Amino acid sequence: PAGGLWRSTNSGVGWTMWNTDNLPVIGCTDIAIDPSNTQIMYLATGDGDANDTYSIGVLKSTNGGNTWNTTGLNWAVTNQRVIRKLLIDPSATQTVYAATSNGIYKTTNGGTNWTQIRTGNFYDMEFKPGDPNTIYAAGTSFVYTTNGGTNWITTATGLPTTGVARIAIAVTPANANYVYLLISRTSDYGLQGVYRSTNSGAAFSTQATTPNLLGWNSNGGDAGGQGWYDLAIAASPTNADVVIVGGINIWRSTNGGTSWTINAHWTGSGAPYVHADIHD
């Protein structure tokens, strides 16, 4: 969030700062690598979780991160914006999407020109597996498009309409029609609920509202949390019912989010120790 981009060439054992120390802003929240040419990389500048650094836009490298250049999406730090998620269309890699505090942007020419395709404050965004024209996006509400952002659908049913602080999204190629949402609440930033759609985001069912997956305790019996700051969810790529949630701690479900077991704990109480504040 404030320390630039880092690279490991030995599976994460050691890390080296990767040519970002002299950028105007060294905070960054996401990176996307072109699957057809891994020398092409996009960097989302700014701290998307706590705004400790602000964004200067999307930067691009064409030489594996050795040098970085601005793209057509560039801001002044005084705009006080952040970028939280980048997605590259795997079927047309010149097309890139950016979810930001100032809406969703799209480029179809590798970052030269960008168009704002949705207004709002967005924290997360995912492609439907196998269909990059279908994109799910969320901030304090959930929207999706089936035509690459030309039109957005806001009528998903089964979700809370008030008291939502932040939403995180998970999808899985094990069942491309599944969409999981992890939602924190505004009252105390604890768990509002885990929700699942089985029809590509049109309708959701409540999977769980307890235990408090976003709190401090290993039994989930406390209240509150840091759901404004650390909120992450992922689904297994091989079993659509296996879901992992991260807040202060890490929790795991094997039945589609209906029941949960503590998987890692910030002080090692009741589960292996993993440092608090899970962002991805």
Side-chain angles (χ1 to χ4, degrees):
L5 178 68
W6 293 72
R7 186 179 82 152
S8 173
T9 58
N10 56 9
S11 301
V13 176
W15 292 85
T16 304
M17 185 282 305
W18 201 238
N19 303 314
T20 53
D21 271 358
N22 293 314
L23 295 178
V25 167
I26 60 173
C28 51
T29 296
D30 200 15
I31 185 162
I33 299 174
D34 188 329
S36 67
N37 180 354
T38 56
Q39 293 297 297
I40 297 175
M41 307 160 69
Y42 299 88
L43 189 66
T45 62
D47 172 18
D49 288 304
N51 295 340
D52 286 332
T53 57
Y54 292 114
S55 179
I56 55 170
V58 175
L59 302 181
K60 181 179 182 179
S61 174
T62 58
N63 54 18
N66 286 306
T67 58
W68 295 92
N69 295 290
T70 57
T71 68
L73 184 58
N74 59 83
W75 298 322
V77 171
T78 52
N79 291 141
Q80 297 188 354
R81 296 170 181 169
V82 290
I83 302 172
R84 301 187 177 105
K85 190 66 176 282
L86 296 173
L87 293 177
I88 297 176
D89 185 334
S91 63
T93 60
Q94 289 284 294
T95 297
V96 185
Y97 298 87
T100 84
S101 60
N102 192 54
I104 298 174
Y105 291 81
K106 178 181 182 179
T107 177
T108 58
N109 55 14
T112 302
N113 306 103
W114 296 77
T115 301
Q116 187 188 55
I117 58 173
R118 179 80 187 179
T119 59
N121 182 17
F122 289 90
Y123 277 86
D124 203 3
M125 179 173 60
E126 296 287 352
F127 288 129
K128 178 179 179 178
D131 178 10
N133 283 315
T134 296
I135 306 166
Y136 311 113
T140 58
S141 61
F142 173 80
V143 299
Y144 67 102
T145 175
T146 59
N147 54 16
T150 301
N151 306 104
W152 292 89
I153 300 166
T154 61
T155 55
T157 60
L159 295 174
T161 56
T162 60
V164 174
R166 179 173 167 180
I167 301 173
I169 307 169
V171 296
T172 168
N175 191 325
N177 295 319
Y178 276 21
V179 185
Y180 287 97
L181 301 182
L182 173 65
I183 301 182
S184 62
R185 59 181 176 240
T186 55
S187 59
D188 61 2
Y189 301 112
L191 179 69
Q192 177 87 295
V194 177
Y195 304 84
R196 184 175 73 178
S197 171
T198 59
N199 58 4
S200 304
F204 285 84
S205 298
T206 303
Q207 302 301 96
T209 56
T210 58
N212 180 22
L213 306 178
L214 302 182
W216 292 263
N217 288 356
S218 59
N219 65 7
D222 57 345
Q226 296 178 168
W228 64 274
Y229 176 59
D230 37 59
L231 197 74
I233 185 169
S236 164
T238 58
N239 184 340
D241 286 323
V242 173
V243 189
I244 305 290
V245 156
I248 296 167
N249 302 311
I250 300 173
W251 293 76
R252 185 173 187 264
S253 172
T254 59
N255 56 11
T258 303
S259 59
W260 295 86
T261 303
I262 189 75
N263 196 248
H265 189 261
W266 70 295
T267 66
S269 174
Y273 165 78
V274 170
H275 179 72
D277 307 337
I278 311 303
H279 295 292
D280 201 7

